[in-house]
Each structure stands twice: as structure tokens, then as C-alpha cells.
């Protein structure tokens, strides 16, 4: 798994608490304030851009061979200077994630050797069982909150759109199959009408999706997933928020158990 | 409150809503027509790349997002699959307070591979050949916010080539439109065509809720001219 915020974690305290100067405030809770003034870390902006792009590549969201936007477009989009983008691309090149071609059709491309499934296999092997269960708990909590709202708020025609997306799942292309299932999941949770919850779900989906590809190759596990999601969709359409939550928990349990099984087989 | 009062309140509220949306819709329709003409001229010169498309769309998009009085979050053109030589899907889209072209952010799900032909703001103008107001909905493709998207189809010689659109954040609609509706004094709720609350002067009616289950379900709705939204006055 590719954590994006480890460099933002506090490394040292920039503000040394002075107990005498703050004695008047001693009765106030100081915990939040302490966190506020902690160092934001000295990771450079180039490193942040590099990590963002690296996790998109290893997560399969930028695919092998895909052209990256131009340095200027990336700079504008990330809100950094073009030299910062150049520096991060240099680092990505040295990691073998990006190649740069010169000439008229030149530019930066995701390296052909960047294989998200291989990265996912490494990431799964390196993840503890407790971390996987916790990821499942987080995912289930967010999804459950979304479908509970969706069951109260969605109209039948919207739910029908999710169902029609599910009906287009095509097992002849597993990459496309995963992408369609991810889209259906996001489309369903967006019916909560909550932008915050949907964004959180997308973040989690992006984190899980590469690992889910590892279990998609197993026919039993693959066939089970759309059926489990369809039962959540049914409950949302019926306006049954309790059943939508219960069905979500069954779905996430099945997926996490499959990941744990796969992990124990390969150990 | 008498029925007559709520009728006239509803009519006044509907007029306020129509007025609010009229400039963005007019700007969008002008963009759709002009883009059709400009794209047709390009078509005669040969195949079109995404860069060439962006150069055509940018001035229209920037003009739309800088309209006065209504805070427009994003605007642009979404090409139909197959229009461009170098990309299957392309969003030529500018958004934000300092509008930047949207590069599909990589921190989320495969955004660049989302099939938008199924999304309401693309599908309805494509199928009906007419402009459409979609939402409020969580726009997980462009704004990542709770959004209304107004979209109009673009045609070259009668062939559908994509959709010109603009995004209004519900946050802005609430800030700009709610005070005007509140001045009417009565409880007024704006709902969309599927009966979802957009904004309400009655704080108990939450944005995003469906009116089907609540006290509003039985009340008369007054259409807002020129935009597919309705007013319920209590």
C-alpha cells in the first residue's frame, strides 16, 4: 500500500512548549494546539509531486505507456513551479516508473515496465492481516454511511443507472471489468448526495482497487463480487437502509477474507 | 397562510430562480452554437487533436466562468468518443476560482477511464438533442463537489460531437439564491425534476433530501421558466 502522507507526519516539534509562558492557558486543552504547531515536515514540493504520481502509477491509475500531461500543465495543476515538476519527473525516471522521449511526439510516459498488479502483489505481501482487516473496517464504515443515505435519497431511475453499469461487466477483459465495478461502486455511493463521503470512498477505492485485481483472477471470488454489490443496490432501491448496511458488510467481509486467503496461500 | 398567498409567493420565487439561471444558460447555449461552427471549420482542415480542441474551447470556458452575478465553478466541452485523433475521452474543462484546465487528478479511482456517456449531463443532451439541467448530484468527475451541471449538445451538421457544460456548486447557489428567496418571507423550497431539494428557506428541508417521503410531497409545484427546477411554497 502506498501511503501518501507519511512525509507529512510530524518529525520534530517546531515549537518548544514553554510552560511558564503558557501557564495562563494551562486549563485549556493543549492537545489540538500542539498538533497545529508541529513541523509540517521538510519534504520538498518535488517529493510530494513525485509521491502523488508514483502512487498513481503503482496503483494503476496511470497505465503503462500512458502519456503524462506536459510539465507546464502538471505545474499549473499541482500549483508548483515547472522546475519542481521537472525535478520530480527526474526522480520518477530514476525509479523506472517514467520514461521521457524526445522529438515531436515526445514527452513523459508511464514506463511499460510499471506493472500495478506486481506492485499490488508486493503491497499485499507486505501488509499485515490486522492492517487488512482495518482497511476493511474503514471501507465498510464509509460505504455503509453512504448507502444508508442513498437508501433514503436516491430515486429509482438513478439506481437503475448503477444496475445498467453492472450489467455491462465483461469478463473477457479483467482490467475493464474491475474498472466498471469500481465505477458502479462510486456511482452508488454518490447517490448519498454527500460530496465528502463520496470523496473518501474514492480515495479508499483507489487504495483497494489494485489489490482487488489480485482476487479478480479467481473465478469464484470474481463472480461473487457483483452479486454482493447488486444486493446492496437492491436494498438502496427498496429504500431499506438497514438491509443496505447489512449487505455492505457482507460484501466487504467477503472481499477482505478473499484477500487474507490469498495472502496466506502465497506465504 | 392562504392558498392565494402561496401561489403568488411560488410565482415570485420561480421568477427569481429563472432570472438567476438565465445568464449562465444563455452563455452556454451561445457557446454550444459557436463551438459547433468553429469545430465544423476545423473539420474541413482535417483531424482534430485534444490540444487543438483545448485552444478552441478555452476562451469560451473562461468567458463563462467569469460571468458576473452567478458564481460558476467550471465550464468547458466534453468530446464525444471518437471525435479526437489522440484521445478516446477528453474533457476540455476549466474550473476553480483561478480557472485551470482540469487534468484528471490521479489520486482517485481511474477517473480518466470513467465512461461518462452514461452520466446524466452527457447522456440526456446526447439523446434528446436539447439542453439539460442535471443535479444536484455529487460530481465525482470534475468538481468533486455537490453540483448542478447545465449542459447543451454541440452538433456539426446535425451530428452530435459532444456537450458544452457548466458547473454551479450548490454551495454557491445557496449563498447567492437563498437570501433572495428568503426575502419573500414565506417558506420556499427549490426542487429538481426528480423531487430532490436543491435549497430551502426552511432549514428542516435538507439539500439532497427527496421530498417524496416528507411533508412537501403533497404540495403543488410551480415550474421555473427556462430551467427544469420547481418551487414548492408552504
Amino acid at each position: 500500500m502506498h501511503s501518501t502522507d507519511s512525509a507529512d507526519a510530524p518529525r520534530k516539534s517546531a515549537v518548544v512548549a514553554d510552560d511558564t509562558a503558557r501557564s495562563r492557558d494551562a486549563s485549556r486543552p493543549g492537545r489540538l494546539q500542539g498538533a497545529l504547531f508541529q513541523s509540517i515536515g521538510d519534504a520538498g514540493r518535488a517529493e510530494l509531486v513525485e509521491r502523488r504520481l508514483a502512487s498513481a502509477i503503482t496503483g494503476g491509475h496511470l497505465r503503462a505507456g500512458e502519456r503524462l500531461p506536459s510539465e507546464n500543465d502538471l505545474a499549473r495543476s499541482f500549483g508548483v513551479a515547472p522546475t519542481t515538476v521537472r525535478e520530480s519527473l527526474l526522480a520518477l525516471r530514476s525509479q523506472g516508473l517514467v520514461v521521457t522521449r524526445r522529438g515531436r511526439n515526445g514527452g513523459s510516459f508511464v514506463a511499460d515496465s510499471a506493472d500495478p498488479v506486481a506492485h499490488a502483489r508486493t503491497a499485499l505481501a507486505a501488509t499485515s492481516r490486522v492492517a487488512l482487516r482495518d482497511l476493511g473496517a474503514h471501507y465498510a464504515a464509509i460505504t455503509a454511511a453512504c448507502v444508508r443515505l442513498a437508501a433514503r435519497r436516491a430515486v429509482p431511475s438513478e439506481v437503475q443507472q448503477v444496475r445498467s453499469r453492472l450489467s455491462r461487466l465483461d469478463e473477457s477483459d479483467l482490467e475493464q471489468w474491475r474498472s466498471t465495478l469500481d465505477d458502479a461502486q462510486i456511482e452508488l455511493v454518490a447517490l448519498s448526495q454527500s460530496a465528502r463521503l463520496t470523496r473518501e470512498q474514492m480515495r479508499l477505492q483507489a487504495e483497494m482497487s489494485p489489490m482487488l485485481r489480485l482476487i479478480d483472477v479467481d473465478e469464484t471470488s470474481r463472480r461473487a463480487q457483483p452479486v454482493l454489490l447488486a444486493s446492496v443496490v437492491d436494498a438502496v432501491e427498496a429504500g431499506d437502509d438497514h438491509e443496505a448496511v447489512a449487505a455492505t458488510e457482507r460484501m466487504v467481509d467477503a472481499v477482505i477474507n478473499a484477500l487474507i486467503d490469498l495472502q496466506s496461500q502465497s506465504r | 397562510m392562504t392558498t392565494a398567498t402561496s401561489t403568488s409567493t411560488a410565482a415570485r420565487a420561480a421568477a427569481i430562480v429563472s432570472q438567476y439561471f438565465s445568464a449562465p444558460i444563455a452563455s452556454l447555449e451561445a457557446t454550444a452554437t459557436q463551438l459547433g461552427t468553429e469545430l465544423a471549420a476545423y473539420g474541413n482542415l482535417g483531424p482534430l487533436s485534444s490540444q487543438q480542441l483545448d485552444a478552441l474551447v478555452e476562451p469560451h470556458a473562461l468567458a463563462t466562468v467569469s460571468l458576473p452575478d452567478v458564481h460558476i465553478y467550471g465550464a468547458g466541452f466534453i468530446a464525444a468518443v471518437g471525435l479526437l485523433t489522440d484521445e478516446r475521452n477528453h474533457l476540455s474543462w476549466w474550473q476553480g476560482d483561478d480557472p485551470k484546465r482540469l487534468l484528471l487528478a490521479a489520486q482517485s479511482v481511474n477517473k480518466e477511464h470513467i465512461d461518462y456517456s452514461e452520466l446524466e449531463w452527457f447522456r440526456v443532451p446526447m439523446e434528446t438533442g436539447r439542453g439539460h439541467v442535471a443535479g444536484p448530484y455529487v460530481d465525482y468527475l470534475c468538481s468533486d463537489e455537490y453540483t448542478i451541471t447545465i449542459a447543451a449538445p454541440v452538433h456539426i451538421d446535425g451530428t452530435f460531437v459532444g456537450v458544452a457544460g457548466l458547473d454551479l456548486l450548490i454551495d454557491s447557489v445557496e449563498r447567492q439564491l437563498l437570501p433572495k428567496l428568503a426575502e419573500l418571507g414565506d417558506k420556499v423550497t427549490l426542487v429538481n425534476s426528480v423531487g430532490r431539494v436543491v435549497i430551502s428557506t426552511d432549514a428542516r428541508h435538507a439539500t439532497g433530501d427527496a421530498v417524496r417521503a416528507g411533508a412537501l410531497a403533497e404540495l403543488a409545484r410551480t415550474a421555473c421558466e427556462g430551467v427544469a427546477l420547481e418551487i414548492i411554497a408552504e
Side-chain angles (χ1 to χ4, degrees):
Chain A
M1 220 150 311
H2 308 277
S3 166
T4 52
D5 48 17
S6 55
D8 302 335
R11 288 186 184 167
K12 60 185 180 205
S13 176
V15 172
V16 179
D18 180 343
D19 285 336
T20 48
R22 292 179 57 197
S23 58
R24 273 189 303 168
D25 295 330
S27 58
R28 283 214 230 140
R31 194 177 284 231
L32 279 175
Q33 219 180 42
L36 175 64
F37 290 116
Q38 265 165 0
S39 162
I40 58 166
D42 25 36
R45 293 179 139 209
E47 202 182 319
L48 290 172
V49 171
E50 174 198 330
R51 200 172 314 118
R52 182 82 73 82
L53 289 171
S55 70
I57 293 168
T58 56
H61 310 301
L62 290 169
R63 297 184 188 184
E66 194 164 315
R67 177 200 289 272
L68 295 179
S70 74
E71 286 178 4
N72 285 335
D73 277 348
L74 284 172
R76 265 197 298 277
S77 182
F78 286 124
V80 299
T83 51
T84 307
V85 169
R86 217 163 295 140
E87 195 184 320
S88 66
L89 289 175
L90 197 69
L92 290 166
R93 266 204 297 281
S94 69
Q95 293 174 45
L97 292 173
V98 160
V99 292
T100 300
R101 291 180 207 135
R102 310 226 169 265
R104 211 167 76 83
N105 289 315
S108 291
F109 298 81
V110 178
D112 288 329
S113 56
D115 177 4
V117 174
H119 282 286
R121 208 168 284 127
T122 314
L124 180 65
T127 306
S128 65
R129 199 173 283 184
V130 62
L132 276 178
R133 290 267 179 225
D134 205 27
L135 175 60
H138 188 184
Y139 187 94
I142 299 299
T143 311
C146 288
V147 298
R148 190 182 295 120
L149 280 171
R152 294 175 198 156
R153 291 174 147 180
V155 298
S157 63
E158 295 169 324
V159 182
Q160 200 48 48
Q161 283 297 316
V162 181
R163 208 169 264 139
S164 101
R165 201 179 282 280
L166 280 177
S167 74
R168 285 198 306 278
L169 280 169
D170 175 8
E171 295 190 330
S172 66
D173 177 350
L174 284 189
E175 203 172 330
Q176 192 56 46
W177 186 91
R178 166 50 51 198
S179 162
T180 304
L181 195 63
D182 284 347
D183 286 358
Q185 178 71 54
I186 298 298
E187 199 169 19
L188 177 66
V189 303
L191 298 182
S192 65
Q193 315 298 317
S194 166
R196 290 178 79 121
L197 289 176
T198 304
R199 286 196 295 264
E200 183 64 2
Q201 177 91 30
M202 289 182 81
R203 213 187 54 68
L204 285 166
Q205 198 77 27
E207 188 175 349
M208 295 264 279
S209 185
M211 285 201 287
L212 296 179
R213 285 171 204 213
L214 300 173
I215 58 170
D216 290 347
V217 293
D218 176 67
E219 190 175 313
T220 315
S221 173
R222 180 173 71 242
R223 296 267 157 92
Q225 290 182 66
V227 177
L228 287 161
L229 182 56
S231 65
V232 183
V233 173
D234 290 343
V236 166
E237 185 170 39
D240 186 342
D241 52 357
H242 291 291
E243 175 52 23
V245 169
T248 295
E249 284 165 354
R250 288 197 296 274
M251 174 178 77
V252 179
D253 274 350
V255 162
I256 295 296
N257 284 335
L259 281 172
I260 287 174
D261 285 347
L262 179 66
Q263 198 187 41
S264 6
Q265 282 159 28
S266 48
R267 265 178 187 166
Chain B
M1 182 191 315
T2 66
T3 309
T5 319
S6 44
T7 306
S8 77
T9 301
R12 278 152 64 205
I16 290 169
V17 172
S18 295
Q19 167 65 27
Y20 179 78
F21 286 98
S22 65
I25 290 176
S27 166
L28 186 68
E29 282 172 354
T31 296
T33 309
Q34 287 165 25
L35 268 181
T37 310
E38 291 169 16
L39 284 168
Y42 240 97
N44 298 330
L45 301 174
L48 186 70
S49 73
S50 53
Q51 265 189 340
Q52 289 167 320
L53 178 67
D54 287 344
L56 277 186
V57 175
E58 184 169 12
H60 295 293
L62 294 181
T64 301
V65 294
S66 52
L67 280 177
D69 305 328
V70 177
H71 186 187
I72 293 171
Y73 183 73
F77 173 77
I78 293 89
V81 169
L83 177 71
L84 300 171
T85 52
D86 56 343
E87 282 180 58
R88 187 170 175 274
N89 293 341
H90 185 72
L91 288 140
S92 201
W93 195 263
W94 280 258
Q95 69 180 25
D97 288 332
D98 169 22
K100 296 185 179 73
R101 193 172 87 71
L102 177 70
L103 300 175
L104 290 175
Q107 69 268 40
S108 58
V109 176
N110 300 336
K111 270 193 179 179
E112 56 269 52
H113 302 117
I114 286 176
D115 178 8
Y116 45 70
S117 63
E118 285 299 318
L119 301 176
E120 182 185 338
W121 50 263
F122 192 87
R123 179 174 45 88
V124 177
M126 177 173 72
E127 286 172 357
T128 63
R130 290 171 32 207
H132 182 69
V133 178
Y137 70 109
V138 177
D139 174 13
Y140 52 81
L141 194 60
C142 293
S143 71
D144 279 346
E145 291 288 354
Y146 204 45
T147 304
I148 284 183
T149 299
I150 305 176
V154 176
H155 296 97
I156 301 180
D157 301 328
T159 306
F160 174 81
V161 293
V163 153
L166 63 86
D167 281 346
L168 297 164
L169 303 190
I170 304 305
D171 188 272
S172 306
V173 176
E174 177 186 311
R175 288 170 197 278
Q176 297 189 311
L177 195 50
L178 198 55
K180 294 180 184 157
L181 295 178
E183 278 173 21
L184 297 172
D186 296 321
K187 286 177 184 168
V188 169
T189 301
L190 180 66
V191 300
N192 73 357
S193 53
V194 299
R196 173 166 293 138
V197 174
V198 182
I199 49 173
S200 179
T201 60
D202 182 347
R204 287 171 308 161
H205 301 313
T207 292
D209 275 353
V211 296
R212 61 163 185 255
L216 296 177
E218 305 300 318
L219 298 176
R221 301 186 193 177
T222 304
C224 303
E225 203 186 326
V227 55
L229 299 171
E230 293 172 321
I231 287 288
I232 301 174
E234 288 175 82

